[in-house]
Amino acid sequence: MRLGSLEVLAVLLVLLVLARSHLAGLLASPGMQTWATVFVSVLVQAVPFLVFGVVLSAVIAVFVPRSFWAKALPSHPALAVPAAGLAGVILPGCECGSVPIAGSLIRRGVTPAAALAFLLAAPAINPIVLTATVIAFPGEPQMAIARGVASLVVAVAMGWLWLRLGKTEWIRLPHRPDLDDASKAKAFWAACRHDIMHAGGFLVVGAAAAATINVVIPAAWLQSLAADPVISVIALATLAVLLSICSEADAFVAASLSQFSLTSRLVFLVVGPMVDLKLISMQTGVFGRRFAMRFAPATFVAAVLVGTAFGAVLL
């Protein structure tokens, strides 16, 4: 008999109950308490936006006809990329929501380059994120401007790079049940269940990895890295990947890293919404491993270079 997700969950719950006394002693250690706090905080930040993204993705899949996208975006792919990137301004969400939305856009016939530009831009240039950046850096409005412009440039550049070098076979969207013959309500809930299972599971894996990194990396290391301007940029870019902070909250974390330069903190804010552990995991679940292992490193390099350049000019 094949076990389903409900049976697996039931088995895990039984095992947790049987091992509760051992787990209680393990969780009493300071390291495990820190791990649990970070793990839960990442999930609490991300889940509402993941749900929002999944619901919007289902709406796109079920209620928006394919012909809409032909009218909404320029027909030429090179022009569709910046248009899709700018569309991220109107979506108040984070990277967890943009991944399933981008997958749904590709399913509805949007060129992958435009969908990927939207995926990268939406979490970084929407009004909520930019407003949070202004609040986190009082008296330094140029930080929000630099973040918005640099993030949009990276998103458009990666979309154009995909047009130039990307291959269709690198994107393998998980099979979704045929929704065309079902009622609108049934198709909507089927799409929601499908996307939450694929994206949600990888979100948990990414949150666990981020929590582990938070416990393993000593805080004293950051102090020693801040003195060198080049190393500090690389260090904060790497830290953005490892911490996996939601884009609505990362500006306040960047502001607290006052020992680092504004340029290195700008790179932190540009990299984080585009490349982090939970996002890489979710991209693997939605687009496939071959896509994630190529797209994430290229995006990281582009975000570091563009963020550094804009920091040098504007900050």
Side-chain angles (χ1 to χ4, degrees):
M1 183 182 69
R2 184 178 179 180
L3 294 179
S5 58
L6 184 61
E7 289 80 5
V8 172
L9 177 61
V11 172
L12 289 176
L13 290 175
V14 171
L15 292 176
L16 288 174
V17 170
L18 294 176
R20 64 186 184 276
S21 58
H22 177 72
L23 291 175
L26 183 63
L27 291 173
S29 65
M32 284 304 300
Q33 288 180 352
T34 302
W35 187 94
T37 300
V38 174
F39 175 74
V40 172
S41 66
V42 170
L43 290 183
V44 169
Q45 290 181 59
V47 166
F49 295 101
L50 172 62
V51 172
F52 174 79
V54 166
V55 171
L56 186 56
S57 171
V59 169
I60 293 172
V62 176
F63 297 103
V64 179
R66 292 179 182 270
S67 59
F68 170 82
W69 301 110
K71 300 175 182 177
L73 294 174
S75 57
H76 196 290
L79 298 178
V81 168
L86 287 171
V89 174
I90 64 175
L91 180 63
C94 77
E95 59 270 26
C96 300
S98 66
V99 174
I101 294 173
S104 189
L105 289 174
I106 294 175
R107 282 193 174 94
R108 302 308 286 176
V110 174
T111 177
L116 296 176
F118 174 84
L119 182 153
L120 296 178
I125 68 172
N126 71 72
I128 292 178
V129 170
L130 296 181
T131 301
T133 306
V134 171
I135 296 173
F137 290 88
E140 296 172 341
Q142 70 272 20
M143 194 70 171
I145 296 173
R147 178 181 192 176
V149 177
S151 298
L152 181 60
V153 169
V154 174
V156 173
M158 289 303 300
W160 284 337
L161 183 64
W162 180 266
L163 279 178
R164 180 73 176 175
L165 302 177
K167 297 181 179 180
T168 305
E169 60 266 25
W170 290 349
I171 296 181
R172 298 183 63 86
L173 297 173
H175 174 70
R176 175 186 278 173
D178 188 9
L179 306 177
D180 293 333
D181 297 329
S183 66
K184 294 293 186 182
K186 184 176 180 181
F188 174 80
W189 289 114
C192 286
R193 288 194 302 270
H194 176 274
D195 286 349
I196 202 71
M197 288 296 295
H198 279 84
F202 283 93
L203 171 60
V204 172
V205 173
T212 302
I213 294 297
N214 272 270
V215 174
V216 170
I217 295 180
W221 287 11
L222 298 180
Q223 296 286 346
S224 61
L225 295 174
D228 189 290
V230 176
I231 295 179
S232 64
V233 167
I234 298 174
L236 283 198
T238 305
L239 190 66
V241 176
L242 300 179
L243 292 183
S244 302
I245 303 169
C246 184
S247 60
E248 273 76 12
D250 61 359
F252 299 98
V253 176
S256 70
L257 298 170
S258 56
Q259 67 269 43
F260 288 88
S261 66
L262 285 177
T263 296
S264 59
R265 285 185 278 175
L266 173 63
V267 171
F268 177 89
L269 295 177
V270 174
V271 170
M274 297 185 178
V275 190
D276 64 34
L277 290 178
K278 70 177 186 301
L279 186 55
I280 294 171
S281 296
M282 292 177 67
Q283 288 179 358
T284 302
V286 174
F287 299 109
R289 182 174 59 85
R290 294 181 67 190
F291 168 85
M293 67 187 297
R294 291 170 171 83
F295 190 72
T299 304
F300 178 82
V301 173
V304 171
L305 294 178
V306 173
T308 303
F310 274 88
V313 172
L314 297 178
L315 301 180

